[in-house]
Amino acid sequence: NYDFIAKVDPDAILYADRLRGHLQWHIGQNVFFLNCAKYIPATMYGALEVFSKAALGSYLSQHKRCESSLPFWSWGEDRYMAGCLEMLGVKTQPDYLNFLHDERCWGVDCGNKAAVAFHSFKQVNHWFRCYEASK
């Protein structure tokens, strides 16, 4: 029933209603989203991983290709999935503006009322303060 699947870290804040606006132009595409361009090459940070149904279908049917040729045992799951999907021909969709505000990328601006997700908040009171400021 859904066109996209999002994996979100438990210490992140996600506004699903804001995410929909970023995805609507990509319905039916074989795509996943890059969310940090601070470093080259741009990447998909694991706090928010968004895949189309077609992208995960490609992975399901061909993941053995990735497992036999990528060093998945030494990578994090976000790097592995991005590398695998690219190898399988899944299109990358850069989306850096108001997609993920992460302390490891460009930082977190909890006052941003347009951002889709904020990360990382290891303490409940910090998570709640950002949630209150960003809603």
Side-chain angles (χ1 to χ4, degrees):
N1 292 346
Y2 299 99
D3 296 299
F4 295 91
I5 297 167
K7 190 284 285 178
V8 185
D9 281 359
D11 60 344
I13 299 164
L14 172 71
Y15 290 96
D17 56 325
R18 297 178 190 175
L19 179 59
R20 287 183 190 101
H22 290 254
L23 304 180
Q24 66 186 352
W25 306 109
H26 306 286
I27 292 172
Q29 295 179 11
N30 191 12
V31 65
F32 72 99
F33 290 79
L34 302 179
N35 55 26
C36 182
K38 182 176 182 181
Y39 308 103
I40 304 299
T43 191
M44 172 180 66
Y45 268 18
L48 175 62
E49 300 175 32
V50 180
F51 311 97
S52 69
K53 190 186 313 186
L56 289 182
S58 294
Y59 178 76
L60 180 63
S61 66
Q62 301 178 68
H63 65 89
K64 291 194 186 307
R65 282 182 53 204
C66 300
E67 292 166 9
S68 66
S69 60
L70 296 176
F72 64 89
W73 57 90
S74 64
W75 288 356
E77 44 81 21
D78 49 357
R79 183 174 177 195
Y80 167 75
M81 282 301 290
C84 177
L85 292 175
E86 285 187 66
M87 187 178 94
L88 299 177
V90 176
K91 179 182 166 199
T92 59
Q93 179 58 51
D95 195 337
Y96 314 121
L97 183 63
N98 293 325
F99 200 73
L100 173 64
H101 281 229
D102 191 296
E103 64 184 10
R104 292 178 193 94
C105 191
W106 294 111
V108 179
D109 174 12
C110 293
N112 185 323
K113 308 286 190 207
V116 169
F118 302 87
H119 181 257
S120 81
F121 303 99
K122 304 297 184 195
Q123 297 178 9
V124 173
N125 61 329
H126 293 165
W127 185 99
F128 192 72
R129 262 196 305 251
C130 187
Y131 170 74
E132 286 295 318
S134 61
K135 67 180 184 178

